[in-house]
Amino acid sequence: MKLPRWPRRVFAQLLLSQTVVTVGVTAVTAGLFLAPVSSELDHDAMQRALSIAQATATDEVIARAAAARDSATAQRNAEQIRLATGASFVVVTDLDGIRLSHTDPGRIGHRVSTDPEPALSGLSVTAIQQGTLGRTARGKVPLRLADGRIVGEVSVGISDDSIRRRLLKMLTGILLCAGAGLAAGTVATLVLARRLKRRTHNIALADISALLVEREAMLHGIREGMVALDERGRIRLANDEAVRLLGLPPDCTGRRTDEVLPPGRLADVLAGRITGPDLPAVRDDRVLVVNRTATAEGAVVTLRDRTELESLVRELDTTRSLTEALRAQDHEHANRMHTLLGLLELGRYEQAVAFISEQSGSHAVVAARIAEQVQDPHVAALLAGKSAVAGERGVRLVLAPAAHLPDAVVDARALVTVLGNLVDNAVDALAPGGGGRVEVTLAAAGSTLLLQVADSGPGVPEELREQVFEEGWSSKDAPAHRPRGLGLAMVRRLVERTGGRIVLDEGPLGGARFTVELPEALLTGRLTDRPAARLVEA
Protein backbone atom coordinates (compact mmCIF):
# COMPACT_ATOMS: atom_id res chain seq x y z
CA MET A 1 0.00 0.00 0.00
CA LYS A 2 1.35 3.39 -0.97
CA LEU A 3 1.83 5.69 1.99
CA PRO A 4 0.38 9.22 1.76
CA ARG A 5 2.94 11.86 0.83
CA TRP A 6 3.78 14.76 3.11
CA PRO A 7 2.51 17.95 1.41
CA ARG A 8 5.13 20.26 -0.12
CA ARG A 9 3.27 23.54 0.13
CA VAL A 10 3.86 25.62 3.23
CA PHE A 11 0.20 26.34 3.94
CA ALA A 12 -0.73 22.63 3.56
CA GLN A 13 2.05 21.57 5.93
CA LEU A 14 0.96 24.18 8.44
CA LEU A 15 -2.69 23.17 8.18
CA LEU A 16 -1.96 19.47 8.59
CA SER A 17 0.57 19.85 11.39
CA GLN A 18 -1.55 22.37 13.31
CA THR A 19 -4.64 20.13 12.96
CA VAL A 20 -2.70 17.13 14.29
CA VAL A 21 -1.31 19.21 17.16
CA THR A 22 -4.75 20.63 17.98
CA VAL A 23 -6.37 17.16 18.02
CA GLY A 24 -3.54 15.75 20.11
CA VAL A 25 -3.59 18.59 22.62
CA THR A 26 -7.38 18.36 22.91
CA ALA A 27 -7.26 14.59 23.49
CA VAL A 28 -4.47 14.80 26.06
CA THR A 29 -6.19 17.66 27.86
CA ALA A 30 -9.49 15.75 28.00
CA GLY A 31 -7.69 12.62 29.27
CA LEU A 32 -5.77 14.55 31.91
CA PHE A 33 -9.02 16.15 33.04
CA LEU A 34 -11.03 12.91 33.14
CA ALA A 35 -8.48 10.94 35.16
CA PRO A 36 -8.78 13.05 38.35
CA VAL A 37 -12.52 13.47 37.79
CA SER A 38 -13.03 9.68 37.90
CA SER A 39 -10.95 9.42 41.06
CA GLU A 40 -12.84 12.33 42.60
CA LEU A 41 -16.19 10.67 41.83
CA ASP A 42 -15.04 7.45 43.54
CA HIS A 43 -13.89 9.42 46.56
CA ASP A 44 -17.15 11.34 46.69
CA ALA A 45 -19.16 8.11 46.51
CA MET A 46 -17.12 6.54 49.34
CA GLN A 47 -17.57 9.62 51.53
CA ARG A 48 -21.31 9.61 50.83
CA ALA A 49 -21.54 5.90 51.76
CA LEU A 50 -19.56 6.61 54.93
CA SER A 51 -21.89 9.48 55.86
CA ILE A 52 -24.98 7.27 55.41
CA ALA A 53 -23.34 4.50 57.47
CA GLN A 54 -22.47 6.97 60.26
CA ALA A 55 -26.03 8.34 60.27
CA THR A 56 -27.45 4.78 60.39
CA ALA A 57 -25.13 3.84 63.27
CA THR A 58 -26.62 6.62 65.39
CA ASP A 59 -30.08 4.92 65.30
CA GLU A 60 -30.45 3.31 68.79
CA VAL A 61 -33.24 1.05 67.53
CA ILE A 62 -30.89 -0.55 65.03
CA ALA A 63 -28.14 -0.82 67.65
CA ARG A 64 -30.44 -2.63 70.12
CA ALA A 65 -31.72 -4.88 67.31
CA ALA A 66 -28.11 -5.81 66.47
CA ALA A 67 -27.37 -6.53 70.13
CA ALA A 68 -30.48 -8.73 70.33
CA ARG A 69 -29.84 -10.18 66.84
CA ASP A 70 -33.33 -9.02 65.86
CA SER A 71 -33.07 -9.25 62.09
CA ALA A 72 -36.67 -8.19 61.42
CA THR A 73 -36.28 -4.82 63.16
CA ALA A 74 -32.83 -4.29 61.66
CA GLN A 75 -34.09 -5.18 58.15
CA ARG A 76 -37.08 -2.87 58.36
CA ASN A 77 -35.16 0.18 59.55
CA ALA A 78 -32.17 -0.45 57.24
CA GLU A 79 -34.40 -0.70 54.15
CA GLN A 80 -36.13 2.54 55.10
CA ILE A 81 -32.75 4.29 55.22
CA ARG A 82 -31.64 2.66 51.92
CA LEU A 83 -34.75 3.80 50.08
CA ALA A 84 -34.52 7.30 51.59
CA THR A 85 -30.83 7.79 50.68
CA GLY A 86 -30.71 5.94 47.33
CA ALA A 87 -27.90 3.67 48.49
CA SER A 88 -27.38 0.32 46.80
CA PHE A 89 -27.48 -1.50 50.15
CA VAL A 90 -27.49 -0.87 53.89
CA VAL A 91 -26.25 -3.95 55.72
CA VAL A 92 -26.33 -4.33 59.52
CA THR A 93 -24.32 -7.17 61.11
CA ASP A 94 -23.80 -8.52 64.60
CA LEU A 95 -20.45 -8.99 66.30
CA ASP A 96 -19.80 -12.15 64.27
CA GLY A 97 -20.34 -10.44 60.91
CA ILE A 98 -23.68 -12.16 60.34
CA ARG A 99 -26.07 -10.10 58.23
CA LEU A 100 -29.18 -8.83 60.02
CA SER A 101 -30.33 -6.83 56.97
CA HIS A 102 -29.75 -6.95 53.22
CA THR A 103 -31.33 -5.85 49.97
CA ASP A 104 -31.78 -9.54 49.19
CA PRO A 105 -33.63 -11.04 52.21
CA GLY A 106 -32.31 -14.47 51.28
CA ARG A 107 -28.79 -13.40 52.30
CA ILE A 108 -29.85 -12.45 55.84
CA GLY A 109 -28.26 -14.81 58.38
CA HIS A 110 -25.12 -15.32 56.29
CA ARG A 111 -21.71 -13.85 56.96
CA VAL A 112 -20.76 -10.79 54.92
CA SER A 113 -18.53 -11.32 51.86
CA THR A 114 -15.94 -8.75 52.91
CA ASP A 115 -13.88 -8.57 56.10
CA PRO A 116 -15.88 -6.90 58.96
CA GLU A 117 -12.99 -6.91 61.45
CA PRO A 118 -11.74 -3.29 60.93
CA ALA A 119 -15.22 -1.86 61.64
CA LEU A 120 -15.89 -4.29 64.51
CA SER A 121 -12.61 -3.15 66.05
CA GLY A 122 -13.85 0.44 66.10
CA LEU A 123 -12.50 1.87 62.80
CA SER A 124 -14.37 3.70 60.07
CA VAL A 125 -13.48 2.27 56.65
CA THR A 126 -14.01 3.45 53.04
CA ALA A 127 -13.12 1.36 50.00
CA ILE A 128 -14.05 0.35 46.48
CA GLN A 129 -14.80 -3.35 46.80
CA GLN A 130 -16.33 -6.23 44.86
CA GLY A 131 -19.20 -7.89 46.74
CA THR A 132 -22.35 -9.92 46.17
CA LEU A 133 -23.99 -6.89 44.51
CA GLY A 134 -20.99 -6.12 42.28
CA ARG A 135 -18.40 -3.33 42.46
CA THR A 136 -19.47 -0.64 44.96
CA ALA A 137 -18.08 2.27 46.88
CA ARG A 138 -18.44 1.32 50.54
CA GLY A 139 -18.41 2.97 53.90
CA LYS A 140 -18.21 0.84 57.09
CA VAL A 141 -18.55 2.05 60.69
CA PRO A 142 -18.90 0.30 64.05
CA LEU A 143 -22.44 0.02 65.54
CA ARG A 144 -22.48 1.02 69.22
CA LEU A 145 -25.01 1.04 72.05
CA ALA A 146 -25.56 4.09 74.19
CA ASP A 147 -22.84 2.96 76.57
CA GLY A 148 -20.35 2.81 73.68
CA ARG A 149 -20.15 -0.94 73.47
CA ILE A 150 -19.72 -2.23 69.90
CA VAL A 151 -22.47 -4.66 68.95
CA GLY A 152 -21.95 -4.89 65.19
CA GLU A 153 -21.25 -2.91 62.08
CA VAL A 154 -23.09 -0.86 59.46
CA SER A 155 -21.97 -1.25 55.85
CA VAL A 156 -23.38 1.06 53.16
CA GLY A 157 -22.64 0.67 49.45
CA ILE A 158 -23.18 2.89 46.43
CA SER A 159 -23.25 1.08 43.09
CA ASP A 160 -20.46 1.62 40.59
CA ASP A 161 -23.16 2.04 37.93
CA SER A 162 -24.37 5.25 39.53
CA ILE A 163 -20.80 6.54 39.61
CA ARG A 164 -20.36 5.72 35.94
CA ARG A 165 -23.65 7.45 35.10
CA ARG A 166 -22.35 10.63 36.76
CA LEU A 167 -19.05 10.27 34.93
CA LEU A 168 -20.82 9.83 31.60
CA LYS A 169 -22.88 12.95 32.23
CA MET A 170 -19.72 14.91 32.93
CA LEU A 171 -17.94 13.26 29.99
CA THR A 172 -20.58 14.55 27.60
CA GLY A 173 -19.95 18.13 28.72
CA ILE A 174 -16.19 17.63 28.60
CA LEU A 175 -16.32 16.22 25.09
CA LEU A 176 -18.54 19.07 23.95
CA CYS A 177 -16.07 21.61 25.32
CA ALA A 178 -13.17 19.69 23.78
CA GLY A 179 -15.00 19.53 20.45
CA ALA A 180 -15.68 23.26 20.56
CA GLY A 181 -12.00 23.92 21.30
CA LEU A 182 -10.96 21.56 18.51
CA ALA A 183 -13.30 23.29 16.07
CA ALA A 184 -12.07 26.75 17.08
CA GLY A 185 -8.44 25.61 16.77
CA THR A 186 -9.07 24.06 13.36
CA VAL A 187 -10.80 27.20 12.07
CA ALA A 188 -7.98 29.39 13.40
CA THR A 189 -5.44 27.08 11.80
CA LEU A 190 -7.31 27.21 8.49
CA VAL A 191 -7.46 31.03 8.56
CA LEU A 192 -3.74 31.21 9.40
CA ALA A 193 -2.90 28.70 6.69
CA ARG A 194 -4.90 30.60 4.05
CA ARG A 195 -3.21 33.85 5.05
CA LEU A 196 0.20 32.18 4.92
CA LYS A 197 -0.71 30.78 1.51
CA ARG A 198 -1.33 34.28 0.21
CA ARG A 199 1.81 35.67 1.82
CA THR A 200 4.07 32.88 0.54
CA HIS A 201 2.46 32.80 -2.93
CA ASN A 202 1.75 29.09 -2.45
CA ILE A 203 5.38 28.05 -2.80
CA ALA A 204 6.93 24.89 -1.41
CA LEU A 205 9.01 24.84 1.76
CA ALA A 206 12.06 23.63 -0.16
CA ASP A 207 11.65 26.58 -2.52
CA ILE A 208 11.63 28.99 0.44
CA SER A 209 14.91 27.54 1.68
CA ALA A 210 16.45 27.81 -1.79
CA LEU A 211 15.17 31.38 -2.19
CA LEU A 212 16.64 32.33 1.18
CA VAL A 213 20.04 30.91 0.28
CA GLU A 214 19.97 32.59 -3.13
CA ARG A 215 18.88 35.90 -1.59
CA GLU A 216 21.70 35.86 0.94
CA ALA A 217 24.24 35.03 -1.76
CA MET A 218 22.88 37.73 -4.06
CA LEU A 219 22.60 40.47 -1.44
CA HIS A 220 26.08 39.97 -0.08
CA GLY A 221 27.64 39.33 -3.48
CA ILE A 222 26.46 42.37 -5.43
CA ARG A 223 28.64 45.46 -5.53
CA GLU A 224 25.78 47.84 -4.77
CA GLY A 225 24.63 48.65 -1.28
CA MET A 226 21.12 47.63 -0.26
CA VAL A 227 19.26 48.58 2.92
CA ALA A 228 15.77 47.32 3.78
CA LEU A 229 13.74 49.45 6.20
CA ASP A 230 10.51 48.66 8.04
CA GLU A 231 7.53 50.98 8.32
CA ARG A 232 9.10 52.73 11.34
CA GLY A 233 12.34 53.48 9.52
CA ARG A 234 14.33 50.78 11.33
CA ILE A 235 16.97 48.79 9.46
CA ARG A 236 15.80 45.24 8.76
CA LEU A 237 18.65 44.23 6.49
CA ALA A 238 21.88 45.76 5.20
CA ASN A 239 24.24 43.87 2.92
CA ASP A 240 28.03 43.99 3.19
CA GLU A 241 28.44 46.74 0.60
CA ALA A 242 25.88 48.98 2.35
CA VAL A 243 27.68 48.49 5.66
CA ARG A 244 30.95 49.49 4.00
CA LEU A 245 29.62 52.48 2.08
CA LEU A 246 27.60 53.90 4.98
CA GLY A 247 30.04 52.96 7.73
CA LEU A 248 27.27 51.21 9.68
CA PRO A 249 28.02 49.61 13.06
CA PRO A 250 27.74 45.81 13.42
CA ASP A 251 24.56 46.16 15.53
CA CYS A 252 22.72 48.38 13.05
CA THR A 253 19.87 45.90 12.49
CA GLY A 254 16.74 47.00 14.36
CA ARG A 255 17.95 50.59 14.80
CA ARG A 256 16.65 53.71 13.06
CA THR A 257 18.75 55.31 10.34
CA ASP A 258 18.96 58.55 12.33
CA GLU A 259 20.68 56.59 15.12
CA VAL A 260 23.45 55.12 12.96
CA LEU A 261 24.03 58.00 10.52
CA PRO A 262 25.01 61.61 11.29
CA PRO A 263 22.46 64.35 10.56
CA GLY A 264 22.54 65.49 6.98
CA ARG A 265 21.31 64.83 3.49
CA LEU A 266 22.20 61.13 3.49
CA ALA A 267 20.14 60.43 6.61
CA ASP A 268 17.26 62.49 5.19
CA VAL A 269 17.29 60.54 1.92
CA LEU A 270 17.29 57.16 3.69
CA ALA A 271 14.47 58.29 5.99
CA GLY A 272 12.39 59.50 3.03
CA ARG A 273 12.43 63.17 4.02
CA ILE A 274 14.06 63.94 0.66
CA THR A 275 12.64 62.13 -2.35
CA GLY A 276 13.61 61.74 -5.97
CA PRO A 277 15.57 59.44 -8.30
CA ASP A 278 19.37 59.14 -8.24
CA LEU A 279 19.88 61.52 -5.33
CA PRO A 280 23.55 62.37 -4.72
CA ALA A 281 24.89 62.22 -1.17
CA VAL A 282 28.28 62.25 0.51
CA ARG A 283 29.50 59.89 3.24
CA ASP A 284 32.98 60.82 4.45
CA ASP A 285 35.00 61.05 1.20
CA ARG A 286 32.61 58.91 -0.83
CA VAL A 287 30.08 60.17 -3.34
CA LEU A 288 26.95 58.00 -3.32
CA VAL A 289 23.89 57.88 -5.54
CA VAL A 290 20.84 56.88 -3.51
CA ASN A 291 17.47 55.55 -4.67
CA ARG A 292 14.66 54.87 -2.20
CA THR A 293 11.63 52.77 -3.17
CA ALA A 294 8.65 52.52 -0.82
CA THR A 295 7.16 49.06 -0.21
CA ALA A 296 4.07 47.77 1.58
CA GLU A 297 6.08 47.18 4.77
CA GLY A 298 8.67 49.95 4.61
CA ALA A 299 11.23 50.84 1.97
CA VAL A 300 14.25 49.52 0.07
CA VAL A 301 17.25 51.79 -0.44
CA THR A 302 19.96 51.11 -3.03
CA LEU A 303 23.38 52.77 -2.94
CA ARG A 304 25.89 53.17 -5.74
CA ASP A 305 29.45 54.30 -5.14
CA ARG A 306 30.25 57.11 -7.60
CA THR A 307 33.51 58.16 -5.95
CA GLU A 308 35.79 56.82 -8.65
CA LEU A 309 33.36 57.80 -11.38
CA GLU A 310 33.16 61.30 -9.93
CA SER A 311 36.94 61.53 -9.98
CA LEU A 312 36.99 60.35 -13.59
CA VAL A 313 34.28 62.86 -14.50
CA ARG A 314 36.30 65.65 -12.90
CA GLU A 315 39.37 64.52 -14.78
CA LEU A 316 37.27 64.47 -17.94
CA ASP A 317 36.10 68.00 -17.24
CA THR A 318 39.70 69.06 -16.70
CA THR A 319 40.77 67.30 -19.89
CA ARG A 320 37.98 69.00 -21.81
CA SER A 321 39.02 72.36 -20.39
CA LEU A 322 42.64 71.69 -21.29
CA THR A 323 41.59 70.59 -24.76
CA GLU A 324 39.66 73.80 -25.21
CA ALA A 325 42.65 75.71 -23.88
CA LEU A 326 44.99 73.93 -26.28
CA ARG A 327 42.60 74.61 -29.15
CA ALA A 328 42.54 78.28 -28.22
CA GLN A 329 46.31 78.31 -27.82
CA ASP A 330 46.61 76.67 -31.22
CA HIS A 331 44.65 79.53 -32.75
CA GLU A 332 46.69 82.02 -30.73
CA HIS A 333 49.92 80.32 -31.79
CA ALA A 334 48.86 80.50 -35.43
CA ASN A 335 48.14 84.20 -35.03
CA ARG A 336 51.55 84.67 -33.45
CA MET A 337 53.24 82.79 -36.26
CA HIS A 338 51.44 84.97 -38.82
CA THR A 339 52.53 88.07 -36.93
CA LEU A 340 56.13 86.81 -36.77
CA LEU A 341 56.04 85.96 -40.49
CA GLY A 342 54.78 89.43 -41.30
CA LEU A 343 57.54 91.09 -39.27
CA LEU A 344 60.16 88.98 -41.01
CA GLU A 345 58.75 89.70 -44.46
CA LEU A 346 58.75 93.41 -43.65
CA GLY A 347 62.39 93.15 -42.61
CA ARG A 348 61.71 94.22 -39.02
CA TYR A 349 64.06 91.74 -37.49
CA GLU A 350 64.58 93.49 -34.16
CA GLN A 351 60.82 93.68 -33.55
CA ALA A 352 60.54 89.98 -34.46
CA VAL A 353 63.21 89.04 -31.93
CA ALA A 354 61.50 91.13 -29.22
CA PHE A 355 58.13 89.57 -30.06
CA ILE A 356 59.52 86.03 -29.69
CA SER A 357 61.24 86.86 -26.40
CA GLU A 358 58.08 88.37 -24.96
CA GLN A 359 55.82 85.46 -25.91
CA SER A 360 58.17 82.71 -24.73
CA GLY A 361 58.95 84.40 -21.45
CA SER A 362 55.44 85.14 -20.17
CA HIS A 363 54.44 81.49 -19.53
CA ALA A 364 57.84 80.63 -18.11
CA VAL A 365 57.58 83.49 -15.65
CA VAL A 366 54.20 82.28 -14.39
CA ALA A 367 55.39 78.70 -13.99
CA ALA A 368 58.61 79.82 -12.27
CA ARG A 369 56.70 82.01 -9.82
CA ILE A 370 54.34 79.16 -8.90
CA ALA A 371 57.24 76.72 -8.47
CA GLU A 372 59.08 79.22 -6.23
CA GLN A 373 56.15 79.82 -3.92
CA VAL A 374 54.62 76.31 -3.99
CA GLN A 375 57.25 73.65 -3.45
CA ASP A 376 54.88 70.67 -3.32
CA PRO A 377 54.88 69.32 -6.89
CA HIS A 378 51.25 68.13 -6.89
CA VAL A 379 49.83 71.46 -5.75
CA ALA A 380 52.18 73.40 -8.04
CA ALA A 381 51.10 71.35 -11.04
CA LEU A 382 47.45 71.85 -10.08
CA LEU A 383 47.83 75.63 -9.86
CA ALA A 384 49.78 75.78 -13.14
CA GLY A 385 47.09 73.83 -14.96
CA LYS A 386 44.24 75.78 -13.35
CA SER A 387 46.01 79.03 -14.25
CA ALA A 388 46.18 78.06 -17.92
CA VAL A 389 42.53 76.94 -18.00
CA ALA A 390 41.37 80.05 -16.16
CA GLY A 391 43.33 82.25 -18.55
CA GLU A 392 41.63 80.69 -21.55
CA ARG A 393 38.25 81.35 -19.92
CA GLY A 394 39.12 84.98 -19.41
CA VAL A 395 39.86 84.72 -15.68
CA ARG A 396 43.12 85.64 -14.06
CA LEU A 397 44.33 83.15 -11.44
CA VAL A 398 47.18 84.44 -9.27
CA LEU A 399 49.04 83.51 -6.12
CA ALA A 400 49.16 86.07 -3.32
CA PRO A 401 52.64 87.62 -3.03
CA ALA A 402 53.09 86.18 0.49
CA ALA A 403 51.79 82.72 -0.42
CA HIS A 404 54.13 79.85 0.37
CA LEU A 405 53.71 76.08 0.64
CA PRO A 406 56.72 73.93 1.60
CA ASP A 407 57.24 70.42 0.27
CA ALA A 408 55.96 68.89 3.52
CA VAL A 409 52.32 68.06 2.78
CA VAL A 410 51.09 64.91 4.57
CA ASP A 411 48.15 64.14 2.24
CA ALA A 412 48.69 65.87 -1.10
CA ARG A 413 45.69 64.12 -2.66
CA ALA A 414 43.25 65.55 -0.11
CA LEU A 415 44.81 69.03 -0.44
CA VAL A 416 44.52 68.86 -4.24
CA THR A 417 40.84 67.88 -3.91
CA VAL A 418 40.10 70.76 -1.54
CA LEU A 419 42.06 73.40 -3.44
CA GLY A 420 40.93 72.19 -6.88
CA ASN A 421 37.24 72.33 -5.95
CA LEU A 422 37.54 75.81 -4.45
CA VAL A 423 39.45 77.15 -7.49
CA ASP A 424 36.95 75.56 -9.91
CA ASN A 425 34.02 77.16 -8.07
CA ALA A 426 35.74 80.55 -8.10
CA VAL A 427 36.55 80.34 -11.84
CA ASP A 428 33.01 79.15 -12.63
CA ALA A 429 31.61 82.14 -10.74
CA LEU A 430 33.62 84.55 -12.94
CA ALA A 431 33.73 82.77 -16.31
CA PRO A 432 30.14 83.49 -17.55
CA GLY A 433 30.76 87.23 -17.57
CA GLY A 434 34.44 87.06 -18.49
CA GLY A 435 37.24 88.88 -16.73
CA GLY A 436 37.78 88.93 -13.01
CA ARG A 437 40.46 87.71 -10.67
CA VAL A 438 40.94 84.68 -8.42
CA GLU A 439 43.59 84.89 -5.72
CA VAL A 440 45.00 81.88 -3.88
CA THR A 441 46.86 82.23 -0.58
CA LEU A 442 48.77 79.40 1.08
CA ALA A 443 50.55 79.60 4.43
CA ALA A 444 52.13 77.26 6.96
CA ALA A 445 51.77 77.82 10.70
CA GLY A 446 53.67 74.99 12.34
CA SER A 447 52.00 71.78 11.22
CA THR A 448 48.80 73.64 10.33
CA LEU A 449 48.13 74.61 6.73
CA LEU A 450 46.04 77.69 6.00
CA LEU A 451 44.64 78.45 2.56
CA GLN A 452 42.30 81.01 1.07
CA VAL A 453 40.60 81.24 -2.30
CA ALA A 454 39.02 84.62 -3.02
CA ASP A 455 37.42 85.94 -6.20
CA SER A 456 36.06 89.21 -7.56
CA GLY A 457 32.71 87.71 -8.52
CA PRO A 458 29.21 88.48 -7.23
CA GLY A 459 29.82 86.64 -3.95
CA VAL A 460 27.35 84.58 -1.91
CA PRO A 461 24.52 86.20 0.10
CA GLU A 462 24.98 85.81 3.83
CA GLU A 463 21.76 83.80 4.24
CA LEU A 464 23.07 81.17 1.75
CA ARG A 465 26.60 80.77 3.11
CA GLU A 466 25.77 77.61 5.05
CA GLN A 467 23.47 76.21 2.41
CA VAL A 468 26.21 76.08 -0.24
CA PHE A 469 27.88 73.25 1.70
CA GLU A 470 24.79 71.07 1.57
CA GLU A 471 24.82 68.05 -0.72
CA GLY A 472 22.86 68.58 -3.92
CA TRP A 473 22.65 72.38 -3.59
CA SER A 474 24.05 74.38 -6.49
CA SER A 475 23.38 77.70 -8.15
CA LYS A 476 24.43 76.26 -11.55
CA ASP A 477 22.56 73.98 -13.90
CA ALA A 478 23.67 70.36 -13.67
CA PRO A 479 25.36 68.91 -16.79
CA ALA A 480 23.96 65.73 -18.31
CA HIS A 481 26.88 63.51 -17.28
CA ARG A 482 26.93 64.22 -13.53
CA PRO A 483 25.00 65.94 -10.71
CA ARG A 484 25.92 69.28 -9.22
CA GLY A 485 26.25 70.26 -5.57
CA LEU A 486 28.80 67.66 -4.45
CA GLY A 487 32.14 69.51 -4.60
CA LEU A 488 31.75 71.84 -1.62
CA ALA A 489 30.00 69.15 0.40
CA MET A 490 32.93 66.81 -0.18
CA VAL A 491 35.41 69.59 0.64
CA ARG A 492 33.69 70.27 3.95
CA ARG A 493 33.65 66.56 4.84
CA LEU A 494 37.36 66.23 4.04
CA VAL A 495 38.24 69.30 6.09
CA GLU A 496 36.12 68.37 9.10
CA ARG A 497 37.32 64.76 9.04
CA THR A 498 40.87 66.01 9.70
CA GLY A 499 39.67 68.25 12.51
CA GLY A 500 39.85 71.42 10.40
CA ARG A 501 37.32 74.06 9.50
CA ILE A 502 36.13 75.95 6.42
CA VAL A 503 34.49 79.36 6.43
CA LEU A 504 32.82 81.36 3.66
CA ASP A 505 32.62 85.13 3.84
CA GLU A 506 33.17 88.24 1.68
CA GLY A 507 36.77 88.67 0.54
CA PRO A 508 38.90 91.73 -0.20
CA LEU A 509 38.23 91.36 -3.94
CA GLY A 510 34.52 91.92 -3.38
CA GLY A 511 33.41 88.36 -4.07
CA ALA A 512 33.38 85.12 -2.09
CA ARG A 513 36.31 84.06 0.06
CA PHE A 514 36.80 80.51 1.36
CA THR A 515 39.20 80.14 4.29
CA VAL A 516 40.36 76.64 5.20
CA GLU A 517 42.38 75.56 8.22
CA LEU A 518 43.91 72.06 8.10
CA PRO A 519 45.69 71.04 11.34
CA GLU A 520 48.43 68.40 11.19
CA ALA A 521 48.57 68.77 7.40
CA LEU A 522 52.33 69.42 7.27
CA LEU A 523 55.38 67.46 8.39
CA THR A 524 57.09 69.80 10.85
CA GLY A 525 60.50 68.14 10.38
CA ARG A 526 60.61 69.24 6.73
CA LEU A 527 59.53 72.86 7.21
CA THR A 528 61.92 75.70 6.38
CA ASP A 529 62.60 78.76 8.52
CA ARG A 530 60.55 80.95 6.21
CA PRO A 531 58.01 82.90 8.29
CA ALA A 532 54.37 81.95 7.65
CA ALA A 533 52.18 84.51 5.96
CA ARG A 534 49.22 85.67 8.01
CA LEU A 535 45.79 85.03 6.54
CA VAL A 536 42.93 87.37 7.11
CA GLU A 537 40.80 85.87 9.90
CA ALA A 538 37.39 84.78 8.67
Side-chain angles (χ1 to χ4, degrees), residues 4-40:
R5 294 179 58 188
W6 182 256
R8 298 180 66 248
R9 303 299 176 186
V10 177
F11 87 96
Q13 291 189 17
L14 177 66
L15 180 60
L16 180 59
S17 59
Q18 286 293 97
T19 301
V20 172
V21 170
T22 303
V23 172
V25 170
T26 303
V28 171
T29 303
L32 292 176
F33 183 75
L34 286 174
V37 167
S38 178
S39 177
E40 184 65 26

Side-chain angles (χ1 to χ4, degrees), residues 98-111 132-133:
I98 303 301
R99 299 188 186 97
L100 301 176
S101 67
H102 197 274
T103 304
D104 182 5
R107 295 183 183 276
I108 297 175
H110 297 280
R111 184 177 174 82
T132 57
L133 296 179

